[in-house]
Amino acid sequence: MKYNNIVIAGGNGYLGKVLARYYRDLAEKVIILSRKPQPADGNVETVLWDGKTEGSWTAVLQGADLLVNLCGKNVNCRYTAKNRKEIIASRVIPSLLLGQVIAGLSNPPKLWITVTSATIYRHAEDHAQDEETGDIGYGFSIDVCKQWEEAFLAVPTPLMTRKVALRMGIVLGRNDSVFPRLLNLVKVGLGGRQGDGEQYISWIHEYDVARCMEWLMRNEVDGVLNCVAPEAVKNATFMKLMRDAYGVPFGLPSPQWLLEIGVLMIGTEMELILKSRWVAPKRLLDAGFNFQFSNARHAIHDILSLRV
């Protein structure tokens, strides 16, 4: 099946590039909405926007089969007052803008997906958090997710535009994000557990992210969905799986006191390392989505086979 335009707002980052590669052979055009110009690459084109105001870019949304919103300042930073304001604004403002534009289109996108975060749930070591029974947590990162989803879900759009908020887990891929950074630690013998290693990691293979979005185009599901693999694993287990797959027999652990020094040096927050994210994709599984990578060991072996 050949799709019409696939539009990716804020698509110049890691996940946007994953989606562009996946959809370029499945769609007439893949259009990236970006603040920075990029040369066309076959049927993958960049259209300029500022994420704040309407402009000529709105024309690309007419008749699109899919709009994916990936906008948002990277949360891998210190939560200063300035960064907090930018993190929230960079998510809420584009969501409201896209909703405003879609409401005025004669032929709006059939499906609008906003990628939010599975970190909206509480620190969980007792049982998995799903969309129906999960407990929303507290703190800044949760407040971001709540405002983000509220802006997306509350903005009025035409009935023909279905809306899905994907609460994304940690996306695993070879080229960027968390995986190559952990792999670098493994390579130099520092790939042991972080903290006590008991915190859960809810992850998803990058290929399953793209497959999930395509599946959603063909299945009438809407609302909030957890986009994570069915098998969450503890940090200590995950690091051992990486060491085993790469052939490194040991990895020095990073106790909490050392991590506290490290996060200050690299400009990030402890929560990003030690929060236990145990999340279950109940609604996706109930609706019949089949993950190609549901097992962490298989996902890690697959990613390591993709030499770049």
Side-chain angles (χ1 to χ4, degrees):
M1 177 179 179
K2 197 77 168 181
Y3 298 106
N4 292 324
N5 290 355
I6 305 291
V7 182
I8 307 172
N12 268 345
Y14 160 63
L15 189 53
K17 292 175 182 176
V18 168
L19 297 178
R21 285 196 304 269
Y22 182 87
Y23 285 110
R24 67 184 305 154
D25 295 329
L26 301 177
E28 293 295 333
K29 283 186 180 180
V30 177
I31 299 170
I32 310 296
L33 295 180
S34 173
R35 292 178 174 85
K36 299 179 181 178
Q38 295 285 341
D41 181 11
N43 66 336
V44 179
E45 302 178 4
T46 296
V47 172
L48 294 179
W49 80 326
D50 63 5
K52 300 175 183 178
T53 55
E54 294 189 34
S56 60
W57 61 267
T58 61
V60 305
L61 298 184
Q62 289 277 13
D65 276 334
L66 173 64
L67 165 63
V68 181
N69 182 11
L70 299 177
C71 295
K73 175 181 169 63
N74 197 324
V75 297
N76 187 17
C77 61
R78 298 297 293 177
Y79 292 160
T80 62
K82 179 175 181 290
N83 283 339
R84 286 173 184 247
K85 184 177 180 180
E86 290 178 357
I87 286 169
I88 293 173
S90 64
R91 286 159 172 77
V92 170
I93 292 174
S95 295
L96 295 175
L97 173 63
L98 289 169
Q100 175 183 315
V101 169
I102 289 170
L105 295 177
S106 58
N107 187 16
K110 295 181 177 66
L111 175 62
W112 176 15
I113 294 175
T114 282
V115 174
T116 67
S117 175
T119 199
I120 194 170
Y121 299 105
R122 66 171 172 85
H123 178 102
E125 296 183 27
D126 50 351
H127 62 81
Q129 308 293 298
D130 64 41
E131 302 94 334
E132 297 171 3
T133 63
D135 301 315
I136 303 301
Y138 61 90
F140 173 68
S141 60
I142 285 81
D143 291 341
V144 171
C145 293
K146 288 164 66 176
Q147 293 184 53
W148 196 359
E149 291 186 4
E150 287 168 2
F152 170 62
L153 295 171
V155 65
T157 48
L159 291 176
M160 61 279 280
T161 298
R162 188 160 43 96
K163 295 162 70 174
V164 174
L166 283 183
R167 290 176 175 171
M168 194 72 65
I170 294 173
V171 180
L172 300 184
R174 184 68 187 240
N175 291 332
D176 205 345
S177 192
V178 173
F179 191 92
R181 290 163 176 76
L182 294 178
L183 182 60
N184 286 337
L185 294 177
V186 168
K187 289 177 179 179
V188 297
L190 298 176
R193 68 181 186 274
Q194 282 95 44
D196 64 9
E198 291 297 302
Q199 68 273 28
Y200 280 87
I201 298 172
S202 283
W203 58 274
I204 183 168
H205 192 293
E206 63 181 22
Y207 185 59
D208 274 336
V209 174
R211 288 182 61 249
C212 174
M213 292 184 184
E214 185 188 4
W215 181 87
L216 284 168
M217 283 195 279
R218 295 182 277 104
N219 291 269
E220 293 292 321
V221 182
D222 62 6
V224 173
L225 298 172
N226 292 338
C227 192
V228 296
E231 179 198 82
V233 293
K234 292 184 177 182
N235 171 268
T237 302
F238 188 86
M239 296 309 299
K240 184 177 188 306
L241 289 172
M242 288 195 70
R243 295 196 306 271
D244 291 346
Y246 199 74
V248 174
F250 67 90
L252 294 176
S254 299
Q256 183 165 339
W257 66 266
L258 184 58
L259 291 173
E260 289 173 351
I261 298 172
V263 296
L264 289 174
M265 292 179 64
I266 64 176
T268 189
E269 291 284 340
M270 186 73 84
E271 174 196 35
L272 300 176
I273 302 170
L274 295 185
K275 180 175 179 178
S276 184
R277 297 169 176 85
W278 189 359
V279 181
K282 184 179 188 301
R283 291 197 65 209
L284 277 176
L285 293 175
D286 288 350
F289 179 70
N290 293 311
F291 289 83
Q292 182 157 325
F293 297 97
S294 58
N295 176 277
R297 184 173 68 87
H298 296 162
I300 290 169
H301 277 270
D302 178 77
I303 293 167
L304 286 177
S305 70
L306 301 174
R307 300 290 176 177
V308 292

